[in-house]
Coordinates of all heavy atoms in Angstrom, one line a residue:
M1 N 3.1 3.8 -11.2 CA 2.9 3.0 -10.0 C 1.8 2.0 -10.3 O 0.7 2.4 -10.9 CB 2.5 3.9 -8.9 CG 2.2 3.2 -7.6 SD 2.0 4.2 -6.2 CE 0.3 4.8 -6.4
V2 N 2.0 0.7 -10.0 CA 1.0 -0.3 -10.1 C 0.8 -1.0 -8.8 O 1.7 -1.1 -8.0 CB 1.4 -1.3 -11.2 CG1 1.4 -0.7 -12.6 CG2 2.7 -2.0 -10.9
S3 N -0.5 -1.5 -8.6 CA -0.7 -2.2 -7.3 C -1.8 -3.3 -7.6 O -2.5 -3.2 -8.5 CB -1.2 -1.2 -6.2 OG -2.4 -0.6 -6.6
Q4 N -1.8 -4.2 -6.7 CA -2.7 -5.3 -6.8 C -2.9 -5.9 -5.4 O -1.9 -6.1 -4.6 CB -2.2 -6.4 -7.7 CG -3.2 -7.5 -7.9 CD -2.7 -8.5 -9.0 OE1 -2.0 -8.2 -9.9 NE2 -3.1 -9.8 -8.8
K5 N -4.1 -6.3 -5.1 CA -4.4 -7.0 -3.8 C -4.2 -8.5 -4.0 O -4.5 -9.0 -5.0 CB -5.8 -6.7 -3.3 CG -6.0 -5.2 -2.9 CD -7.4 -5.0 -2.4 CE -7.4 -3.5 -2.0 NZ -8.7 -3.1 -1.4
V6 N -3.7 -9.1 -3.0 CA -3.4 -10.6 -3.0 C -3.6 -11.1 -1.6 O -3.3 -10.5 -0.6 CB -2.0 -10.9 -3.6 CG1 -0.9 -10.3 -2.7 CG2 -1.8 -12.3 -3.8
V7 N -4.2 -12.3 -1.5 CA -4.4 -13.0 -0.2 C -3.3 -13.9 0.1 O -2.8 -14.7 -0.8 CB -5.8 -13.8 -0.3 CG1 -6.0 -14.6 1.0 CG2 -6.9 -12.8 -0.5
I8 N -2.8 -13.9 1.3 CA -1.7 -14.7 1.8 C -2.2 -16.2 2.0 O -3.2 -16.3 2.8 CB -1.0 -14.2 3.1 CG1 -0.5 -12.8 2.8 CG2 0.0 -15.1 3.6 CD1 0.5 -12.6 1.7
K9 N -1.7 -17.2 1.3 CA -2.2 -18.5 1.4 C -1.3 -19.4 2.4 O -1.8 -20.5 2.7 CB -2.2 -19.2 0.0 CG -3.1 -18.5 -0.9 CD -3.1 -19.1 -2.3 CE -4.1 -18.3 -3.2 NZ -4.1 -18.8 -4.5
N10 N -0.2 -18.9 2.8 CA 0.7 -19.8 3.7 C -0.1 -20.0 5.0 O -0.5 -19.1 5.6 CB 2.0 -19.0 4.0 CG 2.8 -18.8 2.8 OD1 2.3 -18.1 1.8 ND2 4.0 -19.3 2.7
P11 N -0.1 -21.3 5.4 CA -0.8 -21.7 6.6 C -0.3 -20.9 7.9 O -1.1 -20.6 8.8 CB -0.5 -23.2 6.8 CG 0.0 -23.6 5.5 CD 0.5 -22.5 4.8
T12 N 1.0 -20.5 7.9 CA 1.5 -19.8 9.0 C 1.7 -18.3 8.8 O 2.4 -17.6 9.5 CB 2.9 -20.5 9.5 OG1 3.7 -20.5 8.3 CG2 2.6 -21.8 10.1
G13 N 1.2 -17.8 7.7 CA 1.3 -16.4 7.3 C 2.8 -16.1 6.9 O 3.5 -17.0 6.4
L14 N 3.1 -14.8 6.9 CA 4.5 -14.4 6.5 C 5.5 -14.5 7.7 O 5.9 -13.5 8.2 CB 4.4 -13.0 5.9 CG 3.7 -12.8 4.6 CD1 3.8 -11.4 4.1 CD2 4.3 -13.8 3.5
H15 N 5.8 -15.7 8.0 CA 6.8 -15.9 9.1 C 8.2 -15.8 8.4 O 8.3 -15.5 7.2 CB 6.6 -17.2 9.8 CG 6.8 -18.5 9.0 ND1 8.0 -19.1 8.9 CD2 5.9 -19.1 8.3 CE1 7.8 -20.1 8.1 NE2 6.5 -20.2 7.7
L16 N 9.3 -16.2 9.1 CA 10.6 -15.9 8.6 C 10.9 -16.5 7.2 O 11.5 -15.8 6.3 CB 11.7 -16.4 9.6 CG 13.1 -16.0 9.3 CD1 13.2 -14.5 9.2 CD2 14.0 -16.5 10.4
R17 N 10.7 -17.8 7.0 CA 11.0 -18.4 5.7 C 10.3 -17.7 4.5 O 11.0 -17.3 3.6 CB 10.8 -19.9 5.7 CG 11.5 -20.6 4.5 CD 11.4 -22.1 4.6 NE 11.5 -22.6 6.0 CZ 10.5 -23.3 6.5 NH1 9.4 -23.6 5.9 NH2 10.6 -23.7 7.8
P18 N 9.0 -17.6 4.5 CA 8.3 -17.0 3.3 C 8.6 -15.5 3.3 O 8.7 -14.9 2.2 CB 6.8 -17.2 3.6 CG 6.7 -17.7 5.0 CD 8.0 -18.3 5.4
A19 N 8.9 -14.8 4.4 CA 9.2 -13.4 4.4 C 10.6 -13.3 3.7 O 10.8 -12.3 2.9 CB 9.3 -12.8 5.8
G20 N 11.5 -14.2 3.9 CA 12.8 -14.1 3.3 C 12.7 -14.4 1.8 O 13.4 -13.7 1.0
I21 N 11.8 -15.3 1.4 CA 11.6 -15.6 0.0 C 11.0 -14.4 -0.7 O 11.4 -14.0 -1.8 CB 10.8 -16.8 -0.2 CG1 11.6 -18.1 0.2 CG2 10.4 -17.0 -1.7 CD1 10.8 -19.3 0.3
L22 N 10.0 -13.7 -0.1 CA 9.4 -12.5 -0.6 C 10.5 -11.4 -0.8 O 10.5 -10.8 -1.9 CB 8.3 -12.0 0.3 CG 7.6 -10.8 -0.2 CD1 6.8 -11.0 -1.5 CD2 6.6 -10.3 0.9
C23 N 11.3 -11.2 0.2 CA 12.3 -10.2 0.1 C 13.3 -10.5 -1.0 O 13.7 -9.6 -1.8 CB 13.1 -10.0 1.4 SG 12.0 -9.4 2.7
K24 N 13.7 -11.8 -1.1 CA 14.7 -12.2 -2.1 C 14.1 -11.9 -3.5 O 14.8 -11.4 -4.4 CB 15.0 -13.7 -2.0 CG 16.1 -14.2 -2.9 CD 16.4 -15.7 -2.6 CE 17.1 -16.3 -3.7 NZ 17.0 -17.7 -3.7
E25 N 12.9 -12.2 -3.7 CA 12.2 -11.9 -5.0 C 12.1 -10.4 -5.3 O 12.4 -10.0 -6.4 CB 10.8 -12.5 -5.0 CG 10.7 -14.0 -5.0 CD 11.1 -14.7 -6.3 OE1 11.1 -14.0 -7.4 OE2 11.6 -15.8 -6.3
A26 N 11.8 -9.6 -4.2 CA 11.6 -8.2 -4.4 C 12.9 -7.5 -4.7 O 13.0 -6.5 -5.5 CB 11.0 -7.6 -3.1
M27 N 14.0 -8.0 -4.1 CA 15.3 -7.4 -4.3 C 15.9 -7.6 -5.7 O 16.9 -6.9 -6.1 CB 16.3 -7.9 -3.3 CG 16.1 -7.3 -1.9 SD 17.4 -7.5 -0.8 CE 17.0 -9.1 -0.1
Q28 N 15.3 -8.4 -6.6 CA 15.7 -8.6 -7.9 C 15.4 -7.3 -8.8 O 15.9 -7.2 -9.9 CB 15.0 -9.8 -8.6 CG 15.4 -11.1 -8.0 CD 14.6 -12.2 -8.6 OE1 14.5 -12.2 -9.9 NE2 14.0 -13.1 -7.8
F29 N 14.5 -6.5 -8.3 CA 14.0 -5.4 -9.1 C 14.4 -4.0 -8.5 O 14.7 -3.9 -7.3 CB 12.4 -5.4 -9.0 CG 11.9 -6.7 -9.6 CD1 11.5 -7.7 -8.8 CD2 11.8 -6.9 -11.0 CE1 11.0 -8.9 -9.3 CE2 11.3 -8.1 -11.5 CZ 10.9 -9.1 -10.7
K30 N 14.5 -3.1 -9.4 CA 15.0 -1.7 -9.1 C 13.8 -0.9 -8.5 O 14.1 0.1 -7.7 CB 15.5 -1.0 -10.3 CG 16.8 -1.6 -10.9 CD 17.3 -0.9 -12.1 CE 18.5 -1.6 -12.7 NZ 18.9 -1.0 -13.9
S31 N 12.6 -1.3 -8.8 CA 11.4 -0.5 -8.3 C 11.3 -0.5 -6.8 O 11.8 -1.4 -6.1 CB 10.2 -1.1 -8.8 OG 10.1 -1.0 -10.2
L32 N 10.7 0.5 -6.2 CA 10.3 0.6 -4.8 C 9.1 -0.4 -4.7 O 8.1 -0.2 -5.4 CB 9.9 2.0 -4.4 CG 9.3 2.2 -3.0 CD1 10.4 1.9 -2.0 CD2 8.8 3.6 -2.9
I33 N 9.3 -1.3 -3.8 CA 8.2 -2.3 -3.6 C 7.7 -2.3 -2.2 O 8.5 -2.6 -1.2 CB 8.7 -3.7 -4.0 CG1 9.1 -3.7 -5.5 CG2 7.6 -4.8 -3.8 CD1 9.9 -5.0 -5.9
T34 N 6.5 -2.0 -2.0 CA 5.9 -2.0 -0.6 C 4.6 -2.8 -0.6 O 4.1 -3.1 -1.7 CB 5.6 -0.6 -0.1 OG1 4.7 0.1 -1.0 CG2 6.9 0.3 0.0
F35 N 4.1 -3.1 0.6 CA 2.7 -3.6 0.7 C 2.0 -2.9 1.9 O 2.7 -2.6 2.8 CB 2.7 -5.1 0.7 CG 3.2 -5.8 1.9 CD1 2.5 -5.9 3.1 CD2 4.5 -6.2 2.0 CE1 3.0 -6.5 4.2 CE2 5.0 -6.9 3.1 CZ 4.3 -7.0 4.2
T36 N 0.7 -2.8 1.7 CA -0.1 -2.2 2.8 C -0.9 -3.3 3.4 O -1.5 -4.1 2.7 CB -1.0 -1.1 2.2 OG1 -0.2 -0.2 1.4 CG2 -1.7 -0.4 3.3
F37 N -0.9 -3.3 4.7 CA -1.7 -4.3 5.4 C -2.3 -3.6 6.6 O -1.6 -2.9 7.4 CB -0.9 -5.5 5.9 CG -1.6 -6.5 6.8 CD1 -2.7 -7.1 6.3 CD2 -1.3 -6.7 8.1 CE1 -3.4 -8.0 7.1 CE2 -1.9 -7.6 8.9 CZ -3.1 -8.2 8.4
R38 N -3.7 -3.6 6.7 CA -4.4 -2.8 7.7 C -4.0 -1.4 7.6 O -4.1 -0.8 6.5 CB -4.2 -3.4 9.1 CG -4.8 -4.8 9.3 CD -4.9 -5.1 10.7 NE -5.5 -6.5 10.8 CZ -5.0 -7.5 11.4 NH1 -3.9 -7.4 12.1 NH2 -5.6 -8.6 11.5
D39 N -3.4 -0.7 8.6 CA -3.1 0.7 8.5 C -1.6 0.9 8.4 O -1.1 2.0 8.5 CB -3.5 1.4 9.8 CG -5.1 1.4 9.9 OD1 -5.7 1.4 8.8 OD2 -5.6 1.5 11.0
S40 N -0.8 -0.2 8.1 CA 0.6 0.0 8.0 C 1.2 -0.3 6.6 O 0.6 -1.1 5.9 CB 1.3 -0.8 9.1 OG 1.1 -2.2 8.8
T41 N 2.3 0.2 6.3 CA 3.0 0.0 5.0 C 4.3 -0.6 5.3 O 5.1 -0.1 6.2 CB 3.1 1.3 4.2 OG1 1.9 1.8 3.9 CG2 3.8 1.0 2.9
A42 N 4.7 -1.7 4.6 CA 5.9 -2.4 4.9 C 6.8 -2.4 3.6 O 6.2 -2.5 2.5 CB 5.7 -3.9 5.3
N43 N 8.1 -2.3 3.8 CA 9.0 -2.4 2.7 C 9.2 -3.9 2.3 O 9.7 -4.6 3.2 CB 10.3 -1.8 3.1 CG 11.4 -1.9 2.0 OD1 11.2 -2.5 0.9 ND2 12.5 -1.3 2.3
A44 N 8.9 -4.3 1.1 CA 8.9 -5.7 0.8 C 10.4 -6.2 0.6 O 10.6 -7.4 0.5 CB 8.2 -6.0 -0.5
K45 N 11.3 -5.3 0.6 CA 12.8 -5.6 0.5 C 13.4 -5.8 1.8 O 14.6 -6.0 1.9 CB 13.5 -4.6 -0.4 CG 13.0 -4.6 -1.9 CD 13.8 -3.6 -2.7 CE 13.3 -3.6 -4.1 NZ 14.1 -2.7 -5.0
S46 N 12.7 -5.6 2.9 CA 13.2 -5.7 4.3 C 12.5 -6.8 5.0 O 11.3 -6.8 5.3 CB 13.0 -4.4 5.0 OG 13.2 -4.6 6.4
V47 N 13.3 -7.9 5.4 CA 12.7 -9.0 6.1 C 12.1 -8.5 7.4 O 11.0 -8.9 7.8 CB 13.8 -10.1 6.4 CG1 13.2 -11.2 7.3 CG2 14.3 -10.7 5.1
L48 N 12.7 -7.6 8.2 CA 12.2 -7.1 9.4 C 10.9 -6.3 9.2 O 10.0 -6.5 10.0 CB 13.2 -6.3 10.1 CG 14.4 -7.0 10.7 CD1 15.4 -6.0 11.3 CD2 14.0 -8.0 11.7
S49 N 10.8 -5.6 8.1 CA 9.6 -4.8 7.8 C 8.5 -5.8 7.5 O 7.3 -5.6 8.0 CB 9.9 -3.9 6.7 OG 8.8 -3.0 6.4
V50 N 8.8 -6.8 6.7 CA 7.7 -7.8 6.4 C 7.2 -8.6 7.6 O 6.0 -8.7 7.9 CB 8.3 -8.8 5.3 CG1 7.2 -9.9 5.1 CG2 8.6 -8.1 4.0
L51 N 8.2 -9.0 8.5 CA 7.8 -9.7 9.7 C 7.0 -8.8 10.6 O 6.1 -9.2 11.3 CB 9.1 -10.2 10.4 CG 9.8 -11.4 9.8 CD1 11.1 -11.6 10.5 CD2 9.0 -12.6 9.7
G52 N 7.4 -7.5 10.7 CA 6.7 -6.6 11.6 C 5.3 -6.3 11.2 O 4.5 -5.8 12.0
A53 N 4.9 -6.6 10.0 CA 3.5 -6.4 9.5 C 2.6 -7.4 10.1 O 1.4 -7.2 10.1 CB 3.4 -6.4 8.0
C54 N 3.1 -8.5 10.6 CA 2.3 -9.6 11.3 C 1.2 -10.1 10.4 O 0.0 -10.1 10.8 CB 1.8 -9.1 12.6 SG 3.0 -8.7 13.8
V55 N 1.5 -10.4 9.2 CA 0.5 -10.9 8.2 C 0.2 -12.4 8.5 O 1.2 -13.2 8.5 CB 1.0 -10.7 6.8 CG1 -0.1 -11.2 5.8 CG2 1.2 -9.2 6.5
K56 N -1.0 -12.8 8.6 CA -1.4 -14.2 8.9 C -2.1 -14.8 7.7 O -2.4 -14.1 6.7 CB -2.4 -14.2 10.0 CG -2.0 -13.5 11.3 CD -1.1 -14.3 12.1 CE -0.8 -13.7 13.5 NZ 0.5 -13.0 13.5
C57 N -2.3 -16.1 7.7 CA -2.9 -16.8 6.6 C -4.3 -16.2 6.4 O -5.1 -16.0 7.4 CB -3.0 -18.3 7.0 SG -3.8 -19.3 5.7
G58 N -4.7 -16.0 5.2 CA -6.0 -15.5 4.8 C -6.1 -14.0 4.8 O -7.1 -13.4 4.4
D59 N -5.0 -13.3 5.3 CA -5.0 -11.8 5.2 C -4.8 -11.3 3.8 O -4.1 -12.0 3.0 CB -3.9 -11.3 6.1 CG -4.2 -11.4 7.6 OD1 -5.4 -11.6 8.0 OD2 -3.3 -11.4 8.4
E60 N -5.4 -10.2 3.5 CA -5.2 -9.6 2.2 C -4.3 -8.4 2.3 O -4.5 -7.5 3.2 CB -6.6 -9.1 1.6 CG -6.4 -8.6 0.2 CD -7.8 -8.1 -0.3 OE1 -8.3 -7.1 0.2 OE2 -8.3 -8.8 -1.2
I61 N -3.2 -8.4 1.5 CA -2.3 -7.3 1.4 C -2.4 -6.6 0.0 O -2.9 -7.2 -0.9 CB -0.8 -7.7 1.7 CG1 -0.3 -8.6 0.6 CG2 -0.7 -8.3 3.0 CD1 1.2 -8.9 0.7
E62 N -2.0 -5.4 0.0 CA -2.0 -4.7 -1.3 C -0.5 -4.4 -1.7 O 0.1 -3.6 -1.0 CB -2.8 -3.4 -1.3 CG -2.9 -2.8 -2.7 CD -3.8 -1.6 -2.8 OE1 -4.4 -1.2 -1.8 OE2 -4.0 -1.1 -4.0
L63 N 0.0 -5.1 -2.7 CA 1.4 -4.9 -3.2 C 1.4 -3.6 -4.1 O 0.5 -3.4 -4.9 CB 1.8 -6.1 -4.0 CG 2.5 -7.2 -3.3 CD1 2.7 -8.4 -4.3 CD2 3.8 -6.8 -2.7
T64 N 2.4 -2.8 -3.9 CA 2.6 -1.6 -4.7 C 4.0 -1.6 -5.2 O 4.9 -1.7 -4.4 CB 2.3 -0.3 -3.9 OG1 0.9 -0.4 -3.4 CG2 2.4 0.9 -4.8
C65 N 4.1 -1.4 -6.5 CA 5.5 -1.3 -7.2 C 5.6 0.0 -7.9 O 4.6 0.4 -8.6 CB 5.7 -2.5 -8.1 SG 5.5 -4.1 -7.4
E66 N 6.7 0.7 -7.7 CA 6.9 2.0 -8.4 C 8.3 2.1 -8.9 O 9.3 2.1 -8.1 CB 6.6 3.1 -7.4 CG 6.6 4.5 -7.9 CD 6.1 5.5 -6.9 OE1 5.7 5.2 -5.8 OE2 6.1 6.7 -7.3
G67 N 8.5 2.2 -10.2 CA 9.8 2.3 -10.8 C 9.8 1.8 -12.2 O 8.8 1.4 -12.8
E68 N 11.0 1.7 -12.7 CA 11.2 1.3 -14.1 C 10.8 -0.1 -14.5 O 10.4 -0.4 -15.6 CB 12.6 1.6 -14.6 CG 13.7 0.8 -13.8 CD 15.1 1.2 -14.2 OE1 15.5 2.3 -13.7 OE2 15.7 0.4 -14.9
D69 N 10.8 -1.0 -13.5 CA 10.4 -2.4 -13.8 C 9.2 -2.8 -13.0 O 9.0 -4.0 -12.6 CB 11.6 -3.4 -13.6 CG 12.2 -3.2 -12.2 OD1 11.7 -2.4 -11.4 OD2 13.3 -3.9 -11.9
E70 N 8.3 -1.9 -12.7 CA 7.2 -2.1 -11.8 C 6.2 -3.2 -12.3 O 5.7 -4.0 -11.5 CB 6.4 -0.8 -11.5 CG 5.9 -0.1 -12.8 CD 5.3 1.3 -12.6 OE1 5.8 2.0 -11.6 OE2 4.4 1.7 -13.3
E71 N 5.9 -3.2 -13.6 CA 4.9 -4.2 -14.1 C 5.4 -5.6 -13.9 O 4.7 -6.5 -13.4 CB 4.7 -4.0 -15.6 CG 4.1 -2.6 -15.9 CD 2.6 -2.5 -15.8 OE1 2.0 -3.6 -15.6 OE2 2.1 -1.4 -15.8
E72 N 6.7 -5.9 -14.2 CA 7.3 -7.2 -14.1 C 7.4 -7.6 -12.6 O 7.1 -8.7 -12.2 CB 8.7 -7.2 -14.8 CG 9.3 -8.6 -14.7 CD 10.7 -8.7 -15.3 OE1 11.2 -7.7 -15.7 OE2 11.3 -9.8 -15.2
A73 N 7.8 -6.6 -11.8 CA 8.0 -6.8 -10.4 C 6.6 -7.3 -9.7 O 6.6 -8.3 -9.0 CB 8.5 -5.6 -9.7
L74 N 5.6 -6.6 -10.1 CA 4.2 -6.9 -9.5 C 3.8 -8.3 -9.9 O 3.4 -9.1 -9.1 CB 3.2 -5.9 -10.0 CG 1.8 -6.0 -9.3 CD1 1.9 -5.8 -7.8 CD2 0.8 -5.1 -10.0
K75 N 4.0 -8.6 -11.2 CA 3.6 -9.9 -11.7 C 4.4 -11.0 -11.0 O 3.8 -12.0 -10.6 CB 3.9 -10.0 -13.2 CG 3.3 -11.2 -13.9 CD 3.4 -11.1 -15.4 CE 4.6 -11.9 -15.9 NZ 4.9 -11.9 -17.3
V76 N 5.7 -10.9 -10.9 CA 6.5 -11.9 -10.2 C 6.2 -12.1 -8.8 O 6.0 -13.2 -8.3 CB 8.0 -11.6 -10.4 CG1 8.9 -12.4 -9.5 CG2 8.5 -11.7 -11.9
L77 N 6.0 -11.0 -8.1 CA 5.7 -11.1 -6.6 C 4.3 -11.7 -6.4 O 4.1 -12.5 -5.5 CB 5.8 -9.7 -6.0 CG 7.3 -9.2 -5.9 CD1 7.3 -7.8 -5.4 CD2 8.1 -10.1 -5.0
V78 N 3.3 -11.3 -7.2 CA 1.9 -11.8 -7.0 C 2.0 -13.3 -7.3 O 1.4 -14.1 -6.5 CB 0.9 -11.1 -8.0 CG1 -0.4 -11.9 -8.0 CG2 0.7 -9.7 -7.4
N79 N 2.7 -13.7 -8.3 CA 2.8 -15.2 -8.6 C 3.5 -15.9 -7.5 O 3.1 -17.0 -7.1 CB 3.6 -15.4 -9.9 CG 2.8 -15.1 -11.1 OD1 1.5 -15.1 -11.1 ND2 3.4 -14.9 -12.3
A80 N 4.5 -15.3 -6.9 CA 5.3 -16.0 -5.8 C 4.4 -16.1 -4.6 O 4.3 -17.2 -3.9 CB 6.5 -15.1 -5.4
I81 N 3.6 -15.1 -4.3 CA 2.7 -15.2 -3.1 C 1.6 -16.2 -3.4 O 1.2 -17.0 -2.5 CB 2.1 -13.8 -2.8 CG1 3.2 -12.9 -2.3 CG2 0.9 -13.9 -1.8 CD1 2.8 -11.4 -2.1
E82 N 1.0 -16.2 -4.6 CA -0.1 -17.1 -4.9 C 0.4 -18.5 -4.9 O -0.4 -19.4 -4.7 CB -0.8 -16.7 -6.2 CG -1.6 -15.4 -6.0 CD -2.3 -15.0 -7.3 OE1 -1.9 -15.4 -8.4 OE2 -3.3 -14.2 -7.1
S83 N 1.6 -18.8 -5.2 CA 2.2 -20.1 -5.2 C 2.6 -20.6 -3.8 O 3.2 -21.7 -3.7 CB 3.3 -20.3 -6.2 OG 4.4 -19.5 -5.8
G84 N 2.5 -19.8 -2.8 CA 2.8 -20.2 -1.4 C 4.2 -19.8 -0.9 O 4.6 -20.3 0.1
L85 N 5.0 -19.1 -1.7 CA 6.3 -18.6 -1.3 C 7.1 -19.8 -0.8 O 7.8 -19.8 0.3 CB 6.2 -17.6 -0.2 CG 5.7 -16.2 -0.6 CD1 5.3 -15.3 0.6 CD2 6.7 -15.5 -1.5
G86 N 7.2 -20.9 -1.6 CA 8.0 -22.0 -1.3 C 7.5 -23.0 -0.3 O 8.2 -23.9 0.2
E87 N 6.3 -22.8 0.2 CA 5.7 -23.8 1.2 C 4.6 -24.6 0.6 O 4.0 -24.3 -0.3 CB 5.2 -23.0 2.4 CG 6.3 -22.4 3.2 CD 5.8 -21.9 4.5 OE1 4.6 -21.6 4.7 OE2 6.7 -21.8 5.4

């Protein structure tokens, strides 16, 4: 299991479009991919779960990847978030 904290840079937070991009990236991997925000944990492969976390710009989440491709998954997702998830 690997994890890393990352700050959301999108001006509007994780709304529908960036949440969809995050899920699309996460679904490429076999690992279980979740993130923790405040007291809740969200499944990064579920758009509804990501939207339900209500993550805003400047919020810090902790991504956790667990499985056979966990290292690569964490690297790709952190890079996607840091690059603004297409925005």
Side-chain angles (χ1 to χ4, degrees):
M1 181 171 78
V2 293
S3 65
Q4 182 176 334
K5 291 185 179 181
V6 63
V7 175
I8 302 301
K9 296 178 178 175
N10 298 59
T12 52
L14 289 182
H15 65 90
L16 189 56
R17 194 173 328 116
I21 292 170
L22 179 65
C23 291
K24 186 177 163 200
E25 292 289 334
M27 284 193 274
Q28 297 177 44
F29 301 99
K30 294 178 183 175
S31 296
L32 171 66
I33 303 170
T34 59
F35 68 84
T36 307
F37 175 62
R38 295 197 178 124
D39 294 330
S40 64
T41 300
N43 177 357
K45 294 183 180 182
S46 163
V47 174
L48 289 177
S49 186
V50 173
L51 290 173
C54 299
V55 180
K56 308 277 187 262
C57 180
D59 289 340
E60 183 180 71
I61 64 171
E62 184 171 8
L63 272 172
T64 304
C65 302
E66 188 172 356
E68 60 188 74
D69 52 5
E70 60 189 27
E71 299 278 346
E72 185 186 357
L74 185 65
K75 189 172 99 179
V76 167
L77 291 173
V78 167
N79 285 341
I81 291 170
E82 288 180 342
S83 67
L85 292 167
E87 291 195 336

